[in-house]
Each structure stands twice: as structure tokens, then as C-alpha cells.
Amino acid sequence: MVILVIAAINIYIDFKARDFLFDHTNAIPDNTYALVLGTSKYVVGGGKNSYFESRMKAAEQLFSANKVDTIIVSGDNREDNYNEPKRMKQALIELGVPEGLILEDKSGTKTDFSIRYFKNKYPGQGVTIVTQKFHNQRAVYSARKNGMNAVGFNANDIGFLRDKKTHVREWFAKVKAFTL
């Protein structure tokens, strides 16, 4: 029964978000702001994080296609030596996004915190959320549930088979988002 409830909630959230998720810049509506959800630049044990790289490329694509004017990078920075927004900002600058058009949200330790920050800081503004599709389903669902005019731009994903842990964790995060 528990598995059926988890599956039903995931299907419901995916269904509610589907019309607001985009894979290509030519189809996505324009927004003033993009909100890039944080992740570490490196994986545990070393090496580049594919999620990070894909999100930065997706945000740059939106900017280059004139689909957003300003990019907000939101992530964890609770420790002196770990600062997701700072690393995301640097990566976007390296991709050619002007530094003055990148804002840092240092309260984004969780997806819900990033969404609340944006809603409180920019009330009534539309936003394009940038992350992988499996994560964007929940983020856009949560934002719209909270009265925000949000769409999602899906960054490339490495797929379930290469990262089962993150994808399965997201199934449970969707259940939590549904109940809040």
C-alpha cells in the first residue's frame, strides 16, 4: 500500500508539472529571472558533478537565447569551504554570463528554501527554475502550489541507472512536497 501511495503521488506531481517544463529554449516563455537550484561542483571522492555542469550550461543557454535577464544561483554555503552559489556564479561567468547579472541566494540549502526566498524577495515575478527534469517536476509543482508563476527549464540528466540514489531520494521528496 505504501509503495502505491508513493507511486501515485509521484505520478500526480509529474502530471501537474508537465505543462510547465521545457527542454528547449525556443519553446520556453521569457522571464526576467532564472533560479538555478544548487548542487556541488564536485562529487564525493573527486571529479566533476554532471548535474552541476548541466545546470550551468542550461542557465547559460537561457541567458544567451534572451529568455531570462538575470540569473539567481541558489545553494548551500553553510561552511566556509563549501559555497555552491559562489561556484555556480564563477562557472556562469566562465561561460560568458556577465557577473552583474548573476545574483547569489545563500539560503538555498533545500529546494523549498530556494523557492521561498525567490517568492519573498521578488513577489509577483515569474521565474524559470533550472535543474534536471526529475527535480524540476517537484520544484515547479511546489512553486506553483505556492502561487508562483513558475516554469522549469530541464538541464541534461545522467539518468536513473547512473545515479539511482538521487532519483530514488527524489521520489520521497515529492511525497514530502505533496504533504506540505
Side-chain angles (χ1 to χ4, degrees), residues 46-89:
K48 292 183 178 181
N49 181 347
S50 296
Y51 293 123
F52 179 94
E53 298 290 323
S54 294
R55 290 179 199 181
M56 297 311 101
K57 287 178 187 171
E60 184 278 327
Q61 287 173 349
L62 282 172
F63 182 79
S64 292
N66 295 314
K67 293 296 183 171
V68 297
D69 300 321
T70 303
I71 298 173
I72 301 167
V73 290
S74 182
D76 189 350
N77 73 329
R78 289 177 283 180
E79 299 174 18
D80 291 338
N81 63 343
Y82 186 80
N83 188 325
E84 291 174 355
K86 182 178 178 181
R87 287 195 170 150
M88 290 192 293
K89 184 176 184 175

Side-chain angles (χ1 to χ4, degrees), residues 129-142:
I129 300 172
V130 179
T131 187
Q132 281 69 25
K133 183 178 181 178
F134 70 91
H135 186 202
N136 234 342
Q137 292 164 330
R138 172 172 58 102
V140 168
Y141 167 82
S142 294

Side-chain angles (χ1 to χ4, degrees), residues 10-108:
N10 273 263
I11 290 167
Y12 175 78
I13 287 176
D14 296 353
F15 177 79
K16 292 297 275 186
R18 74 178 180 174
D19 291 338
F20 305 102
L21 300 179
F22 298 87
D23 296 315
H24 305 287
T25 57
N26 61 350
I28 197 165
D30 296 354
N31 262 319
T32 300
Y33 298 100
L35 176 64
V36 185
L37 299 179
T39 188
S40 175
K41 184 173 181 174
Y42 302 102
V43 295
V44 175
K48 292 183 178 181
N49 181 347
S50 296
Y51 293 123
F52 179 94
E53 298 290 323
S54 294
R55 290 179 199 181
M56 297 311 101
K57 287 178 187 171
E60 184 278 327
Q61 287 173 349
L62 282 172
F63 182 79
S64 292
N66 295 314
K67 293 296 183 171
V68 297
D69 300 321
T70 303
I71 298 173
I72 301 167
V73 290
S74 182
D76 189 350
N77 73 329
R78 289 177 283 180
E79 299 174 18
D80 291 338
N81 63 343
Y82 186 80
N83 188 325
E84 291 174 355
K86 182 178 178 181
R87 287 195 170 150
M88 290 192 293
K89 184 176 184 175
Q90 185 58 43
L92 288 170
I93 292 167
E94 290 171 10
L95 290 172
V97 178
E99 181 176 359
L101 299 177
I102 306 167
L103 307 175
E104 293 181 52
D105 164 24
K106 297 177 180 178
S107 65

Side-chain angles (χ1 to χ4, degrees), residues 155-171:
N156 289 334
D157 187 5
I158 62 173
F160 178 83
L161 294 177
R162 286 190 50 207
D163 187 11
K164 295 176 190 100
K165 178 182 171 186
T166 300
H167 284 77
V168 169
R169 185 179 72 211
E170 188 62 25
W171 296 344

